[in-house]
Amino acid sequence: MLQAISSRVISSLLVIVGSLTLVFCIFYLLPGDPVLSMVDPTSVSPEVIENLRHQLGLDRPFHERLLAYFGDMLTGDFGRSIVGSEPVLPKILAQVPATLLLTAASALIAVAVGVSLGVLSAVRKGGIIDFVARVVGLFGISMPTFWSGILLILIFSVQLRLLPAMGSDGFATLILPAVALGFVGAGSIVRMVRGSMLDVLNEPFVTTLRAKGLREGSVNYKHALRSALIPAVTLIGMQIGDMLAGTVIIETVFSRQGVGRILADAIMAKDLPVVQGIVFFTAILYVGINLLVDLSYAAIDPRVRRKGA
Amino acid sequence: MKPLLDVQELTIDVHTPRGTLTAVSDISFSIAPGETVCLVGESGSGKTIASKAIMRLTDYENGRIAGGSITLGETALQSLPASVMRGIRGKRIAMIFQEPMAAFDPVFTIGHQIAETMRAHRHGRGAKLWKEGAELLRRVGIPDPELRMKQYPGELSGGMLQRAMIAMALSGEPELLIADEPTTALDVTIQAQILDLLNELKDSLGMSILLITHDLGVAAEMADRIVVLYAGKIAEQGPASELLRSPRHPYTIGLLNSIAALDSRPGEPLRAIEGSPPGLSDMPSGCRFHPRCAFATDRCRESVPPLEELGGGRLAACWNRGEPAVLAAAGSIGGRRVPAAQAAAGRDTPAEQPPKPRLAALPGAPLEAAPALTSPLLEARDLVKHYPLGGGWGRPKRKVHAVDGVSLSIAEGETFGLVGESGSGKSTLGRLLLQLEPQTSGQVLYRGEELSLKDKARWRASRRDLQIIHQDPYGTVDPRWSIGDIIAEPLGVHTELSPSARRAKVGELLEQVGLSASWQNRYPHEFSGGQRQRIGIARAIAVNPRFILADEAVSALDVSVQAQIVNLLQDLQGRLGLTSVFIAHGLQVVRHISTRIGVMYLGKLVEIAPGEELFRSPAHPYTRALISSIPGSGAGVRESFSVRGEIPSPTSPPSGCRFHTRCPLATDLCRKQEPAFSEIGAARAVACHYPL
């Protein structure tokens, strides 16, 4: 078990290093000059621009810049924002709680709605719940968040005036963005759980359970659900990652504070240090979520547990 | 005596996308307390759904009890409310299933699942139930029951799991145990152990058993009474011994004849029943067996024969029932000495009717004369195949010793049978002989020259000569290809035939294997299992190979269809002068078809002998144990020579003689020193310190 975890941690580190390198390369290859977005080239002399470039290390060769970049990361120095020149790390950390809160709330909605609706629709196949589940599944995976977000604003804020359309203070402002973001995840989770639950209910061991005289509740929710969750957990992990990525759009649509929001701004301004810092932060979260997924496998499926031993 | 279970005129419908079909119509039988009744039938006979209906498990599937009654003691089960029925399941009637691996929930421990069954029917403290569970495991012969209780199903072998399943079934102290093909997925040695266990439990606990099986040998061994089902109706029922001794229904007669029994003469065609069992959606009119029956008359085609009393507790549903003349005729007309292919000619079976008479009857001679005279076609020299098991991260690297030093030579024209339990390495050896995968060490010689995956050119050329027929007729043909294309593919690889010549050749091949030349454009899903196996055979013989490996080629087929394929293989082999290796776990079939038989155990060849001799006087204790575990071969033999336990893991084979852990005759010498594989007479060799 310990072995399995340690090998997971090592591969996670590789993922983080890989994603950081990738971001660096993308920005390196991208046309355009960050210095030119910092100063107005018509009013500043070329020497000043050259000087600024040198200060930022932009005139050094690729490998030196890459090494320096990793060196800085290791020492916790994420540099300063090119645009606002404030340190990157505190700037990001200040926004992390808001984004995490949104992601967690969305994930909660996605999992709660997705799993319960998926299971019920499989158990009562062909019934009303099954119909609702299929509608949720269809809309969830086919509606982009910026559209469902705007739709929610129109209905609940503009028409019904029940919930605030924007802002990021208080519980009320969290509801609409979390629903918009969670709905996407719920759509895929419903479909997956429904399908895998139906598969499990067709397994021979379910017949054994019934032949033993167990109650249907025990057959469905104790036995079948546990096996059905095994493939669903993978998907849930991926969905949470997607939701984290989705905050970029949702935070913009609902004018919320958050990492996604500053990421969007930083990309527009080619603010490399900020983008790198956020990628670093996101990669760690992503990898952490996947690690949790792997561990929860072991909790659900004893076969995984024993294999590691 | 008042029956424990009484089934009257039971009819079961199943709902399918194509509408409601009747799976079981109008069957009646009863089980007395302490009695074992066997429902015998092939695929589609309705035996499994009938057994599920008794438990009302059909409620949860697409089945529905459409008529009739099921009475347990005084209780009419067919109309009980679901909540009351639940109290009967697992308590008064318990059930065990075919695939023990699939019948346990993989994510709960054995102990949890047993305790849960008890808790469903009575109150009790967890610790007490757990202790009782362990006691039950001990009762069914599981060593280390406390440890097993804590293990998950994936950690136990199939045989152990079936025992655990029986223990779980016993936990409610049932009056009736329904066993649905409980040994079909297990090796013969384990099958024998499980059947013995069931018999012993039945006697000591006084419960009744309803055993569902396709295997008349199992039925012969277990049953007090046998009910033969065909296409959802009862064909015949009666006391086991009389029914087996003098069957009355042509289907029962055919089924008994199809089995390559120990007393049939090897090399001779089996008396197969033509065609295959009908599907639910195309039930024949009148007597459902009439399209496959040699004695069908107009009356059989038009009206359904009633199940009639024949006296002595026997019943049969046949218009010709009990007519001795008709049945005596069965012996000669459908007879042993007429190849099935001929018997089939001119009969209008819709399913597998050959377009014209094809194979001539063959003399048995070449099969017996060939081997001693000719040179070896294929030779294995000290073949070893180890599969590495993932080690790494400081864990020791382990390996599966699949084949561990096998030498053997196969003479031109012979049929070499290879038997052994699963895990003995027989399929791996087969693939090595064909060089479908590289060996760890050793050599394969084809016609005296080394054949190796490394010599690509020679290897590729050899593909034309060495062909294979697989076990699973469903998985080994591409469903998106027409059968014409499937059979023509090797022709495209190995010959220069023009497309039109290829088509003509495919047509010829189809007729050779008993299909119609005009079926080239059909797709695999249009064919039954037996027909698909014929397609596989046509593909294998398309390029005129010299050698064919038949890896469990008939194991997946219905008994009545098995005999057809065995006959076809024997026929083709004689006509085309093929040499072959026939791998199977069905010992009788191997004996029937092989000139020599090799017995494998844990990667080693332990005995080689001419087929007849091997069965008459096995030299290795393992061979003897295998033979005596054939069901229906007489309990007396088995008592005196049963094999203990299960085949050990091939990752760490036992020291010395690998069989010593299960051998009743093992001594210290066997534990320490590996016996050499040595000759013990003409064409016989055995690896045992104390040959029998």
Side-chain angles (χ1 to χ4, degrees):
Chain A
M1 193 64 215
L2 210 65
Q3 216 169 50
I5 294 176
S6 60
S7 85
R8 290 295 309 167
V9 169
I10 290 172
S11 62
S12 304
L13 285 176
L14 287 177
V15 170
I16 294 173
V17 170
S19 52
L20 286 176
T21 313
L22 199 65
V23 171
F24 182 82
C25 293
I26 288 171
F27 271 84
Y28 184 84
L29 294 172
L30 228 48
D33 191 337
V35 176
L36 297 186
S37 62
M38 294 166 71
V39 296
D40 181 6
T42 52
S43 62
V44 181
S45 72
E47 288 79 34
V48 176
I49 292 178
E50 209 43 52
N51 210 5
L52 201 55
R53 226 179 231 138
H54 184 72
Q55 270 182 17
L56 292 170
L58 294 178
D59 55 349
R60 287 152 72 195
F62 175 78
H63 62 274
E64 275 183 35
R65 281 176 63 188
L66 185 65
L67 275 179
Y69 161 69
F70 275 114
D72 290 345
M73 293 274 161
L74 279 179
T75 53
D77 177 7
F78 289 81
R80 286 169 175 277
S81 161
I82 291 176
V83 179
S85 76
E86 73 268 45
V88 167
L89 196 58
K91 181 182 163 91
I92 294 173
L93 288 182
Q95 305 293 344
V96 166
T99 298
L100 278 187
L101 185 67
L102 176 59
T103 310
S106 312
L108 198 70
I109 291 173
V111 172
V113 173
V115 173
S116 56
L117 213 51
V119 169
L120 284 175
S121 72
V123 171
R124 285 163 221 232
K125 194 172 162 233
I128 290 177
I129 294 180
D130 193 18
F131 179 75
V132 171
R134 280 189 282 177
V135 170
V136 168
L138 184 66
F139 280 91
I141 59 169
S142 50
M143 270 205 296
T145 49
F146 57 81
W147 193 71
S148 59
I150 291 168
L151 213 61
L152 286 174
I153 292 175
L154 269 177
I155 297 170
F156 291 98
S157 306
V158 180
Q159 296 292 327
L160 301 177
R161 297 181 181 283
L162 284 175
L163 293 162
M166 48 182 65
S168 47
D169 36 79
F171 180 70
T173 60
L174 185 63
I175 296 175
L176 286 186
V179 167
L181 196 51
F183 198 59
V184 182
S188 337
I189 294 171
V190 155
R191 290 166 74 104
M192 162 70 101
V193 170
R194 178 176 185 271
S196 92
M197 190 77 183
L198 284 176
D199 285 347
V200 173
L201 285 175
N202 271 325
E203 294 275 336
F205 76 75
V206 172
T207 309
T208 313
L209 297 172
R210 290 183 175 135
K212 301 201 298 191
L214 295 196
R215 286 167 195 284
E216 274 305 283
S218 186
V219 172
N220 289 328
Y221 304 111
K222 177 178 163 191
H223 286 274
L225 177 59
R226 188 154 163 192
S227 286
L229 277 182
I230 294 168
V233 162
T234 317
L235 180 81
I236 290 172
M238 280 158 46
Q239 287 296 328
I240 294 176
D242 283 358
M243 281 177 222
L244 195 60
T247 55
V248 177
I249 290 167
I250 282 294
E251 283 171 1
T252 309
V253 170
F254 287 91
S255 308
R256 285 178 64 83
Q257 297 290 304
V259 179
R261 186 79 180 283
I262 55 172
L263 177 66
D265 294 345
I267 291 173
M268 293 300 177
K270 283 195 184 306
D271 195 343
L272 180 59
V274 174
V275 174
Q276 279 168 344
I278 292 175
V279 168
F280 184 70
F281 154 79
T282 316
I284 286 178
L285 265 184
Y286 220 108
V287 161
I289 290 166
N290 276 303
L291 203 60
L292 280 181
V293 167
D294 285 353
L295 293 179
S296 62
Y297 272 144
I300 298 173
D301 188 349
R303 289 167 293 185
V304 175
R305 225 159 29 214
R306 296 281 165 116
K307 224 192 253 169
Chain B
M1 201 187 322
K2 189 168 167 27
L4 171 70
L5 181 83
D6 192 27
V7 175
Q8 286 300 327
E9 291 162 16
L10 179 64
T11 297
I12 305 163
D13 288 344
V14 288
H15 301 289
T16 71
R18 283 187 290 172
T20 301
L21 302 169
T22 303
V24 169
S25 18
D26 208 12
I27 63 169
S28 304
F29 62 91
S30 63
I31 305 175
E35 189 184 31
T36 300
V37 172
C38 277
L39 282 185
V40 177
E42 297 179 283
S43 58
S45 64
K47 55 190 192 302
T48 292
I49 196 162
S51 67
K52 282 186 170 170
I54 293 168
M55 288 282 252
R56 288 263 305 276
L57 290 169
T58 40
D59 292 7
Y60 302 97
E61 294 169 13
N62 53 3
R64 195 177 66 84
I65 298 176
S69 67
I70 304 165
T71 316
L72 179 74
E74 304 292 328
T75 323
L77 300 183
Q78 77 279 1
S79 52
L80 276 188
S83 57
V84 183
M85 191 62 219
R86 199 181 60 237
I88 288 176
R89 286 189 206 118
K91 178 70 189 160
R92 295 186 64 190
I93 311 177
M95 191 162 182
I96 62 174
F97 301 88
Q98 175 169 359
E99 296 262 3
M101 285 287 181
F104 273 106
D105 186 340
V107 298
F108 287 92
T109 59
I110 303 286
H112 183 105
Q113 297 187 54
I114 294 178
E116 170 187 64
T117 316
M118 298 175 176
R119 213 172 295 124
H121 300 291
R122 62 195 154 106
H123 296 286
R125 272 182 44 242
K128 183 169 162 284
L129 295 182
W130 193 269
K131 230 177 128 191
E132 279 179 42
E135 206 40 57
L136 279 172
L137 288 185
R138 194 189 317 280
R139 177 75 183 79
V140 297
I142 293 182
D144 263 338
E146 282 83 10
L147 170 70
R148 301 296 178 196
M149 287 288 278
K150 288 183 218 144
Q151 284 184 311
Y152 289 92
E155 297 173 284
L156 269 64
S157 69
M160 279 297 155
L161 281 177
Q162 197 57 290
R163 282 174 192 271
M165 184 58 73
I166 292 170
M168 188 158 82
L170 293 181
S171 70
E173 294 167 9
E175 297 154 61
L176 172 66
L177 177 69
I178 301 178
D180 184 3
E181 303 263 14
T183 58
T184 307
L186 306 173
D187 278 314
V188 275
T189 50
I190 310 302
Q191 164 166 292
Q193 294 171 6
I194 297 287
L195 294 182
D196 281 347
L197 174 67
L198 284 176
N199 266 336
E200 188 260 317
L201 290 171
K202 185 192 88 162
D203 291 343
S204 61
L205 304 177
M207 61 182 180
S208 307
I209 295 181
L210 176 64
L211 182 73
I212 287 92
T213 181
H214 69 280
D215 187 339
L216 275 171
V218 170
E221 180 145 335
M222 299 290 291
D224 297 316
R225 252 165 353 104
I226 293 179
V227 179
V228 180
L229 284 178
Y230 183 79
K233 286 187 84 71
I234 292 180
E236 176 166 11
Q237 67 166 300
S241 50
E242 278 111 85
L243 187 140
L244 293 170
R245 193 169 350 104
S246 60
R248 295 292 181 81
H249 195 284
Y251 174 63
T252 320
I253 298 171
L255 211 52
L256 281 165
N257 284 339
S258 314
I259 301 172
L262 282 175
D263 57 2
S264 73
R265 276 197 57 200
E268 281 188 353
L270 297 166
R271 281 187 291 169
I273 309 176
E274 272 306 304
S276 49
L280 286 183
S281 54
D282 53 358
M283 282 297 171
S285 62
C287 171
R288 289 176 178 179
F289 186 61
H290 86 256
R292 303 177 73 192
C293 181
F295 315 105
T297 60
D298 282 346
R299 195 181 187 193
C300 302
R301 277 181 271 276
E302 281 150 19
S303 50
V304 184
L307 193 63
E308 281 188 307
E309 291 274 357
L310 304 175
R314 298 192 57 177
L315 298 145
C318 176
W319 288 120
N320 300 323
R321 101 220 116 84
E323 302 264 336
V326 174
L327 294 168
S332 55
I333 298 175
R336 173 154 296 200
R337 263 134 211 103
V338 181
Q342 275 193 342
R347 206 172 312 136
D348 59 341
T349 40
E352 303 214 359
Q353 180 231 348
K356 47 180 147 166
R358 37 193 217 289
L359 301 176
L362 284 163
L367 280 165
E368 279 149 35
L373 305 169
T374 46
S375 56
L377 184 76
L378 263 178
E379 215 178 328
R381 286 197 185 154
D382 211 17
L383 271 185
V384 174
K385 179 70 186 183
H386 291 166
Y387 294 102
L389 277 184
W393 290 96
R395 259 179 294 161
K397 267 221 160 52
R398 293 181 306 158
K399 53 194 176 182
V400 175
H401 300 245
V403 171
D404 228 350
V406 169
S407 300
L408 97 128
S409 71
I410 293 154
E412 187 122 34
E414 87 169 314
T415 304
F416 189 87
L418 208 49
V419 297
E421 290 166 281
S422 49
S424 63
K426 51 192 195 303
S427 285
T428 307
L429 179 61
R431 286 198 301 273
L432 290 179
L433 283 175
L434 256 65
Q435 283 294 293
L436 292 174
E437 52 185 293
Q439 63 270 35
T440 308
S441 67
Q443 264 189 326
V444 172
L445 303 179
Y446 172 57
R447 314 184 88 182
E449 280 179 67
E450 179 166 11
L451 183 67
S452 157
L453 274 162
K454 287 175 196 131
D455 185 353
K456 275 287 171 205
R458 192 175 141 69
W459 181 85
R460 191 158 293 140
S462 74
R463 293 308 96 185
R464 183 176 183 159
D465 290 354
L466 311 175
Q467 288 287 322
I468 185 168
I469 302 165
H470 300 274
Q471 168 170 10
D472 175 11
Y474 294 89
T476 48
V477 287
D478 188 330
R480 286 169 198 84
W481 281 39
S482 72
I483 65 162
D485 289 342
I486 289 168
I487 298 170
E489 195 179 26
L491 291 170
V493 175
H494 292 288
T495 66
E496 308 282 312
L497 290 180
S498 68
S500 63
R502 235 184 273 165
R503 277 190 78 79
K505 172 81 179 162
V506 170
E508 227 173 88
L509 286 164
L510 281 171
E511 294 194 350
Q512 258 185 322
V513 298
L515 301 173
S516 166
S518 61
W519 291 350
Q520 294 205 24
N521 294 326
R522 298 195 183 180
Y523 287 84
H525 70 87
E526 299 174 61
F527 295 90
S528 69
Q531 288 174 318
R532 281 187 219 203
Q533 201 55 296
R534 288 173 193 267
I535 294 165
I537 293 169
R539 174 173 61 183
I541 61 170
V543 288
N544 296 324
R546 307 182 61 89
F547 175 86
I548 283 191
L549 172 72
D551 189 354
E552 304 270 14
V554 298
S555 311
L557 304 174
D558 269 320
V559 182
S560 68
V561 179
Q562 261 188 27
Q564 297 167 15
I565 300 295
V566 166
N567 286 347
L568 174 65
L569 283 172
Q570 275 191 323
D571 256 356
L572 288 173
Q573 213 169 340
R575 274 164 31 106
L576 307 175
L578 288 168
T579 306
S580 66
V581 165
F582 193 91
I583 298 174
H585 61 263
L587 288 173
Q588 297 100 311
V589 174
V590 174
R591 171 187 170 277
H592 183 80
I593 205 169
S594 312
T595 45
R596 268 195 316 155
I597 296 176
V599 182
M600 285 191 79
Y601 186 75
L602 271 182
K604 297 266 186 197
L605 209 49
V606 296
E607 180 165 8
I608 290 186
E612 279 292 86
E613 268 183 74
L614 186 89
F615 276 80
R616 203 167 42 235
S617 59
H620 198 285
Y622 178 59
T623 314
R624 184 157 165 206
L626 277 184
I627 294 169
S628 60
S629 55
I630 299 172
S633 63
V637 188
R638 231 175 61 202
E639 285 307 305
S640 69
F641 214 93
S642 61
V643 46
R644 297 188 299 257
E646 303 183 10
I647 192 165
S649 158
T651 52
S652 49
S655 64
C657 171
R658 290 185 175 180
F659 187 56
H660 84 250
T661 52
R662 302 169 74 192
C663 183
L665 310 173
T667 64
D668 265 352
L669 179 65
C670 302
R671 275 180 274 279
K672 285 182 193 129
Q673 196 188 330
E674 193 184 328
F677 193 60
S678 45
E679 302 252 331
I680 52 157
R684 294 200 64 171
V686 67
C688 180
H689 291 302
Y690 309 103
L692 299 166

